Amino acid sequence: MAIDPSSIFSKLGAFTSDHDSIVSMNLFVALLCACIVIGHLLEENRWMNESITALIIGLCTGVVILLTTGGKSSHLLVFSEDLFFIYLLPPIIFNAGFQVKKKQFFRNFMTIILFGAVGTLISFGIISLGAKYIFEGFNLRRLDIGDYLAIGAIFSATDSVCTLQVLNQDETPLLYSLVFGEGVVNDATSVVLFNAIQSFDLSHINSGIALQFIGNFLYLFILSTLLGVLTGLLSAYIIRKLYFGRHSTDREVALMILMAYMSYMLAELFYLSGILTVFFCGIVMSHYTWHNVTESSRVTTKHAFATLSFVAEIFIFLYVGMDALDIERWRVVSDSPKKSVQFSSILLGLVLIGRAAFVFPLSFLSNLTKKSAHEKVSIRQQVIVWWAGLMRGAVSMALAYNKFALSNTKDKKNAFVITSTITVVLFSTMVFGLMTKPLIRLLLPSPKHLVRMASSEPTTPKSFIVPLLGNGQAIESNQSVPRPSSLRMLLTTPTNTVHYYWRKFDDGFMRPVFGGRGFVPFVPGSPTDRSNH
């Protein structure tokens, strides 16, 4: 029997390739562990947080890899847009919805939508128009209107992780809910804008195309939200009726995790916004589904979702740090470093202007609708909200890769945009991120004052355990919402009025069907569903 030497060498080559992948994965996991340990040791540091720690470790690792490979590569893993959008982003966004203090989130919902949706559109317009009129002097004639709009969407996507790691949602509930809620809605709006731009022929823009663009944006926004709500309700209904916990808690935990992930994938399947879908799925699951599982499953799911989100965030920052030193892209723009610096500086300036152009005016408009002082956004809080949105992160990187890197990385136009995105992400995260802790400590009162302020407000930390607009048995007597007697009351106290009708609808229809706080899971064979009615 003859032996083909070429087949042996090909198998050996495949084995070597597989072994190299295993080595890379081992090193990457070791770096993740190092980020967690170092982040823990620097917990009390005035400047550092885990995101910046991971970014710095990624940069240092990239330098080491560049030196050891003779300048050929700077990262252990090849960046994949699918890796980011399909595997890393869903657990982060879902956990954001699952863990959010829903009463504060919905109490400030209109302000959050103002910042996250309307504000993002304003920032998108300023960055797109500014880039178009300024960059035409850079001899980058190959940039068309679609490219400028894509740049606007890319640099409108914020990353407020550094700020959220410093803020405490029990001490500063209003500020935390605004920064957190705006960050999620902003990411969803930026991705929806980017996808809408990609699907339209923008070479000849007219009023018809503009209206179609707005209609497509609203269609994606509304349907994505509804899909997330429906998936969350379906999971609550299945778990409540079948009561998996009587046989195995593993099944109900697995079903919650899989249906949460399925909501994101269904949105991607139907070309909707997976970010919005999985976020609202998380909110609905925490309001209904989570209360239908056993006590041990509640603890398990809460920590499982938080852990997956935490690891995914560290993974993203670590990889962004390594990928920032990709030598191939920097080599293309190396012949004109001055132009590259100007390109990045202008984009960063547009980010600053675009952010300020909506935070302060929209805060003023929002404050006009608030009566009590503690519901208004103070000028110090406005500065922190503005600052929190200056940082750019993995969403901007992934969108830039999608538009400018995957087609031709050696094209000068693409290389300029990609390297400028990397520069803005690194500068904003490192410089603005490092200054976040000192800035917040300077602008916000001491924790003692914060506790005293919180205790004087009608919304105390104790009431935060009440999910989704304060529904449930734990509502304190002084928080009871009077029945609105007229349309005038609806216009003067819209939050309380919506709260009242929501509680009435939730208690009368939703919770008896889908479960929730105070409702015991249905047990087959029993004469009733054992609810507390």
Side-chain angles (χ1 to χ4, degrees):
M1 181 179 178
I3 298 175
D4 184 6
S6 62
S7 65
I8 296 176
F9 286 119
S10 64
K11 289 178 181 178
L12 285 173
F15 175 79
T16 304
S17 176
D18 291 341
H19 183 70
D20 290 343
S21 299
I22 292 171
V23 170
S24 297
M25 284 303 300
N26 271 282
L27 289 173
F28 204 90
V29 171
L31 289 171
L32 285 172
C33 294
C35 290
I36 294 171
V37 172
I38 296 173
H40 170 72
L41 295 175
L42 296 174
E43 182 72 26
E44 301 300 325
N45 187 276
R46 184 182 179 186
W47 303 91
M48 299 292 288
N49 57 52
E50 279 165 334
S51 302
I52 299 174
T53 302
L55 196 61
I56 292 174
I57 291 176
L59 282 169
C60 295
T61 307
V63 171
V64 172
I65 296 172
L66 269 177
L67 295 174
T68 55
T69 59
K72 294 180 180 178
S73 176
S74 66
H75 39 70
L76 299 170
L77 303 174
V78 177
F79 181 85
S80 169
E81 187 193 0
D82 291 340
L83 172 68
F84 175 74
F85 278 109
I86 296 180
Y87 300 109
L88 297 177
L89 194 58
I92 297 174
I93 302 299
F94 176 82
N95 185 64
F98 193 77
Q99 304 284 359
V100 67
K101 302 292 186 183
K102 288 170 280 294
K103 186 168 185 178
Q104 276 294 324
F105 179 82
F106 284 100
R107 170 172 286 183
N108 302 299
F109 187 72
M110 293 311 298
T111 307
I112 288 170
I113 292 298
L114 268 179
F115 287 164
V118 178
T120 302
L121 290 173
I122 294 172
S123 178
F124 161 76
I126 290 174
I127 294 173
S128 299
L129 290 174
K132 183 181 186 305
Y133 288 111
I134 295 173
F135 290 163
E136 285 179 349
F138 279 76
N139 296 322
L140 293 174
R141 301 298 181 186
R142 294 181 61 190
L143 284 172
D144 54 32
I145 185 64
D147 293 331
Y148 289 120
L149 292 176
I151 288 172
I154 288 166
F155 288 97
S156 295
T158 66
D159 192 332
S160 52
V161 171
C162 292
T163 307
L164 290 174
Q165 287 178 349
V166 179
L167 292 175
N168 186 309
Q169 59 181 330
D170 289 331
E171 293 177 351
T172 54
L174 171 62
L175 185 58
Y176 189 95
S177 67
L178 290 179
V179 173
F180 165 81
E182 189 226 339
V184 175
V185 178
N186 166 273
D187 284 347
T189 305
S190 299
V191 174
V192 168
L193 271 174
F194 184 84
N195 291 335
I197 291 166
Q198 300 294 89
S199 61
F200 278 90
D201 179 16
L202 300 171
S203 56
H204 300 91
I205 297 180
N206 52 46
S207 57
I209 290 180
L211 289 174
Q212 192 177 357
F213 180 84
I214 295 171
N216 187 53
F217 174 79
L218 294 174
Y219 163 81
L220 289 173
F221 211 92
I222 295 170
L223 256 66
S224 300
T225 302
L226 289 176
L227 179 60
V229 171
L230 290 175
T231 309
L233 291 176
L234 179 62
S235 70
Y237 185 81
I238 292 173
I239 289 178
R240 181 167 190 266
K241 288 300 180 184
L242 298 182
Y243 189 39
F244 290 89
R246 63 193 166 120
H247 293 311
S248 169
T249 57
D250 296 340
R251 291 193 181 108
E252 57 186 4
V253 172
L255 191 65
M256 278 190 73
I257 294 174
L258 290 174
M259 291 200 72
Y261 186 67
M262 187 180 73
S263 70
Y264 186 90
M265 295 311 299
L266 281 174
E268 295 298 313
L269 178 67
F270 295 120
Y271 301 101
L272 301 174
S273 170
I275 295 176
L276 270 180
T277 299
V278 79
F279 176 71
F280 280 97
C281 179
I283 290 179
V284 172
M285 275 194 171
S286 69
H287 183 57
Y288 297 111
T289 314
W290 190 73
H291 294 284
N292 296 338
V293 300
T294 59
E295 188 64 34
S296 60
S297 296
R298 292 178 193 176
V299 176
T300 302
T301 51
K302 184 177 181 180
H303 290 289
F305 291 138
T307 302
L308 288 172
S309 172
F310 174 75
V311 172
E313 281 184 8
I314 299 299
F315 188 105
I316 289 170
F317 278 99
L318 182 63
Y319 186 83
V320 166
M322 284 191 288
D323 192 64
L325 298 176
D326 192 332
I327 200 69
E328 287 298 323
R329 300 188 201 106
W330 292 104
R331 191 174 285 142
V332 176
V333 298
S334 61
D335 60 334
S336 52
K338 182 179 178 181
K339 186 180 291 187
S340 179
V341 171
Q342 290 175 334
F343 204 91
S344 304
S345 301
I346 290 168
L347 284 172
L348 189 61
L350 289 172
V351 166
L352 293 168
I353 296 169
R355 185 78 186 161
F358 76 83
V359 168
F360 301 106
L362 293 183
S363 296
F364 175 76
L365 292 177
S366 175
N367 287 341
L368 292 178
T369 65
K370 310 290 184 182
K371 289 191 173 181
S372 56
H374 71 267
E375 291 182 343
K376 295 184 178 182
V377 187
S378 68
I379 188 63
R380 292 189 176 193
Q381 290 174 328
Q382 291 176 37
V383 171
I384 293 175
V385 171
W386 171 73
W387 185 270
L390 294 180
M391 283 155 275
R392 298 295 178 265
V395 173
S396 295
M397 291 278 288
L399 295 180
Y401 271 80
N402 179 282
K403 175 68 177 177
F404 296 101
L406 297 182
S407 56
N408 183 9
T409 45
K410 294 186 178 180
D411 181 87
K412 194 159 189 175
K413 171 196 75 173
N414 294 346
F416 260 110
V417 177
I418 291 294
T419 53
S420 297
T421 305
I422 292 170
T423 304
V424 171
V425 168
L426 287 179
F427 183 88
S428 62
T429 304
M430 296 286 289
V431 177
F432 298 154
L434 283 171
M435 296 171 63
T436 298
K437 273 189 181 180
L439 179 70
I440 290 177
R441 290 179 182 178
L442 176 67
L443 293 176
L444 292 184
S446 65
K448 285 185 179 180
H449 294 150
L450 288 171
V451 171
R452 190 157 56 245
M453 285 166 58
S455 63
S456 66
E457 295 177 12
T459 309
T460 62
K462 183 179 178 182
S463 70
F464 289 161
I465 63 172
V466 184
L468 204 59
L469 292 179
N471 182 36
Q473 311 301 322
I475 298 177
E476 300 175 15
S477 58
N478 63 349
Q479 291 181 331
S480 60
V481 180
R483 179 178 179 178
S485 57
S486 64
L487 180 62
R488 183 180 179 184
M489 181 169 283
L490 175 63
L491 297 174
T492 55
T493 56
T495 303
N496 288 345
T497 307
V498 173
H499 181 194
Y500 168 81
Y501 283 114
W502 163 252
R503 281 180 53 193
K504 190 174 180 180
F505 175 73
D506 196 30
D507 289 340
F509 176 74
M510 298 297 288
R511 294 203 302 146
V513 176
F514 299 105
R517 182 182 297 276
F519 276 72
V520 183
F522 175 81
V523 179
S526 65
T528 66
D529 66 352
R530 299 195 302 161
S531 68
N532 64 349
H533 272 303

